[in-house]
Amino acid sequence: MTLASISSRPRVYLHWEIILMVFVVFNIFMLFFSGYLFLQVNSGTIFLVEQSGQVRVESVDRSEMQEVLTSLEGRSALFEQRKSAGVRIADPSQ
């Protein structure tokens, strides 16, 4: 592209060409980076996590679990009672 051809065209085309070139260069960069990252993950040389030999598991306190279950059963019964009773709505026309 010569200087004469740049000056004969409207300036907006130059801006769109710059935007397009930046977009293309960015996408080419992302394509190579994604390929590199894929190959590193696939070969297992990146994002390594050391496995600790000791695993600690905390158990749930059964008395606290029973309290929660009792509370949920009470809420369920209250919900069913209110669902079957229906909702009393005052008639605004009277």
Side-chain angles (χ1 to χ4, degrees):
M1 197 182 291
T2 64
L3 186 58
S5 66
I6 290 176
S7 63
S8 66
R9 294 186 343 198
R11 192 174 177 148
V12 70
Y13 291 127
L14 178 63
H15 291 162
W16 277 111
E17 285 180 14
I18 292 171
I19 291 171
L20 181 65
M21 291 307 293
V22 167
F23 178 75
V24 168
V25 168
F26 177 74
N27 279 319
I28 290 172
F29 170 76
M30 288 304 295
L31 181 70
F32 281 112
F33 179 72
S34 297
Y36 167 75
L37 195 61
F38 172 76
L39 292 174
Q40 293 296 316
V41 169
N42 202 27
S43 67
T45 58
I46 195 168
F47 300 128
L48 296 176
V49 178
E50 292 184 23
Q51 298 291 332
S52 63
Q54 184 179 9
V55 177
R56 184 173 181 227
V57 177
E58 294 183 24
S59 63
V60 177
D61 186 14
R62 292 193 182 271
S63 62
E64 290 179 6
M65 179 64 89
Q66 190 60 39
E67 289 177 22
V68 170
L69 291 175
T70 304
S71 171
L72 289 175
E73 288 172 356
R75 286 184 179 186
S76 177
L78 182 62
F79 173 74
E80 291 299 326
Q81 176 189 3
R82 288 183 178 171
K83 187 170 77 170
S84 64
V87 179
R88 295 182 55 194
I89 301 175
D91 188 6
S93 64
Q94 294 188 8

